[in-house]
Amino acid sequence: MIPYGRQSVSEEDIEAVAAVLQSDYLTQGPVVPRFEQVVAAYCGATHAVAVNSATSALHIACLALGLGPGDWLWTSPITFVASANCGLYCGAQVDFVDIDPRTYNLCPQKLETKLIEAERAGKLPKVVVPVHLCGQPCDMAAIYALGQKFGFKIVEDASHAIGAKYQGEPVGDGRYSDITVFSFHPVKIITTGEGGMALTNHPELALRMRQLRSHGITSDLSKMLARPADEIWNYQQFDLGFNYRMTDIQAALGVSQMTRLTEFVEKRRMIAARYDAELAGLPLQTPWQHPHSYSSYHLYPILLKLDNTGLCQRQVYEALHAAGIMVNVHYIPVYRQPYYERMGFRERYCPKAEQYHKATISIPMYPSMTDAQQSQVIAAIEKALWV
């Protein structure tokens, strides 16, 4: 069986985690800030806030930007539900912008059209969440220009994209956004088991997110309110925060994994290049890459062109599973989920997103994949398409 994704854990990773288990700190000790510093330095950002998941990072990012009841958050429909749910967690309303049919990312042209309409209706978004799907960055310069014109904040959902580059610079540097969020789930580019991180160049946003990740509490004496001298006050709660902290155990794995980030991305790109070459000529489209982007290739979706084959997407999907190739679908449009349909969203709301969903399959992509395994995947795709 060949999975669509798999973590790569080395002996050095195991030793790093074991060292923490033998130390005095298991939760938030010295390794969490070390991990934050390593990621921030790699990306060229000023501040990093490690948390227990990218979902948590998205939530506190939105809260730090002041998203709340009466506000709107817009995002792509082709993403995991967390990119939209974070707005609902804040009491805001959520809407979706259709995708670019080449990159599968949020389309800046459709965003502009929707913004013009929303401005007339008095319903402009407070936050827009572009999603760097599969590791390919969105057109952030265009989205940023619209943010400056229409006054919305930007949270990059880069859960797929640590190690990616946009216009030659690392995703996460904050040139075109207020906050960038990474995921360290096991199938992502690097892993901490579970975990996430929010990066920003704004100290006030970093401070707010740090407080929100730990119950809304601070132990910084300079920020605490004065209390009677005979009372002991070693922390104070200022906000209704959350227990979103990352542990030193997770952070140790993250620090170790970061030493191989470049290697991981380069291997993924080699696998993608071989897929590009050997799948050419089949009734499918391989992932198109924008010339301004350098994808980290978290995923490799193939868009099936089945009009003349007599097949449907499900038949190809099931044939590959039967052959031991555990392909997946990334993603069902968020607004088609039953929870969102109960809000009034209906089929065909974002036509390009639905065309993508009905025709794509994510095939195996992970850095420890062998040449033989990739050959097996390619042969199975050829057979499934009756070529």
Side-chain angles (χ1 to χ4, degrees):
M1 183 183 74
I2 301 176
Y4 84 88
R6 172 180 283 162
Q7 70 272 15
S8 176
V9 176
S10 68
E11 286 300 318
E12 290 80 8
D13 293 336
I14 295 168
E15 289 170 7
V17 171
V20 170
L21 291 172
Q22 295 167 344
S23 75
D24 293 332
Y25 298 95
L26 296 184
T27 55
Q28 278 213 305
V31 188
V32 170
R34 190 187 314 159
F35 184 37
E36 292 171 336
Q37 291 160 10
V38 168
V39 175
Y42 178 90
C43 295
T46 309
H47 305 279
V49 182
V51 288
N52 59 6
S53 71
T55 300
S56 301
L58 286 165
H59 185 194
I60 62 174
C62 290
L63 288 174
L65 291 170
L67 188 72
D71 296 328
W72 285 88
L73 177 146
W74 292 3
T75 190
S76 168
I78 299 299
T79 183
F80 185 57
V81 293
S83 308
N85 289 350
C86 58
L88 302 180
Y89 297 156
C90 299
Q93 293 176 274
V94 172
D95 204 352
F96 301 92
V97 181
D98 210 350
I99 63 170
D100 180 325
R102 296 183 304 169
T103 64
Y104 314 140
N105 285 330
L106 184 148
C107 177
Q109 289 74 35
K110 289 184 171 61
L111 174 61
E112 183 174 22
T113 299
K114 195 176 182 80
L115 287 165
I116 292 168
E117 295 171 355
E119 188 173 45
R120 294 192 190 115
K123 293 183 178 180
L124 283 169
K126 186 165 190 173
V127 173
V128 171
V129 181
V131 179
H132 302 322
L133 189 73
C134 306
Q136 178 169 203
C138 296
D139 187 350
M140 291 307 303
I143 295 170
Y144 177 79
L146 291 171
Q148 295 298 294
K149 180 178 179 180
F150 289 95
F152 57 81
K153 301 295 185 181
I154 300 172
V155 177
E156 294 179 70
D157 186 342
S159 294
H160 296 183
I162 192 168
K165 297 178 184 177
Y166 175 68
Q167 296 180 343
E169 300 296 330
V171 168
D173 67 357
R175 284 179 299 159
Y176 298 118
S177 65
D178 298 279
I179 299 170
T180 302
V181 168
F182 291 129
S183 171
F184 307 127
H185 183 275
V187 297
K188 297 303 196 303
I189 310 299
I190 66 166
T191 186
T192 57
E194 286 280 4
M197 192 174 289
L199 275 62
T200 183
N201 292 328
H202 303 282
E204 69 281 1
L205 293 178
L207 178 63
R208 177 98 170 109
M209 290 190 289
R210 289 184 192 282
Q211 196 161 298
L212 286 167
R213 77 172 170 189
S214 189
H215 303 283
I217 285 172
T218 183
S219 296
D220 185 340
L221 291 175
S222 68
K223 295 179 174 60
M224 292 168 62
L225 300 179
R227 287 293 185 260
D230 61 341
E231 294 181 0
I232 298 173
W233 286 83
N234 49 21
Y235 67 89
Q236 291 179 350
Q237 180 182 350
F238 284 88
D239 289 294
L240 184 60
F242 310 90
N243 185 2
Y244 283 171
R245 292 171 297 189
M246 176 179 281
T247 69
D248 262 29
I249 299 168
Q250 294 167 300
L253 179 55
V255 171
S256 183
Q257 289 258 306
M258 280 295 293
T259 65
R260 292 189 291 150
L261 174 57
T262 299
E263 172 193 335
F264 286 159
V265 174
E266 288 177 351
K267 183 63 188 299
R268 286 174 179 272
R269 291 180 63 83
M270 287 173 59
I271 293 168
R274 185 180 173 197
Y275 277 146
D276 289 346
E278 297 199 29
L279 296 177
L282 297 179
L284 58 85
Q285 179 178 308
T286 56
W288 181 84
Q289 298 298 296
H290 194 284
H292 290 165
S293 79
Y294 178 90
S295 179
S296 55
Y297 280 103
H298 163 54
L299 299 171
Y300 190 98
I302 55 172
L303 191 148
L304 303 170
K305 297 181 177 181
L306 302 175
D307 291 347
N308 299 320
T309 66
L311 299 171
C312 68
Q313 180 195 37
R314 176 174 287 278
Q315 287 174 302
V316 176
Y317 178 94
E318 290 178 348
L320 291 171
H321 272 248
I325 312 300
M326 300 294 105
V327 296
N328 211 330
V329 175
H330 297 93
Y331 291 95
I332 301 164
V334 176
Y335 63 84
R336 294 296 315 281
Q337 297 292 344
Y339 183 82
Y340 281 85
E341 287 186 337
R342 291 201 299 270
M343 298 178 195
F345 290 105
R346 290 293 179 264
E347 193 174 357
R348 293 186 292 277
Y349 187 67
C350 293
K352 297 299 182 185
E354 296 196 24
Q355 290 172 18
Y356 166 87
H357 163 239
K358 292 174 182 177
T360 56
I361 294 173
S362 296
I363 64 176
M365 166 63 76
Y366 49 91
S368 61
M369 189 178 201
T370 65
D371 289 343
Q373 287 173 325
Q374 191 172 15
S375 295
Q376 186 178 339
V377 172
I378 293 166
I381 293 170
E382 291 174 342
K383 183 177 180 181
L385 295 174
W386 297 349
V387 174

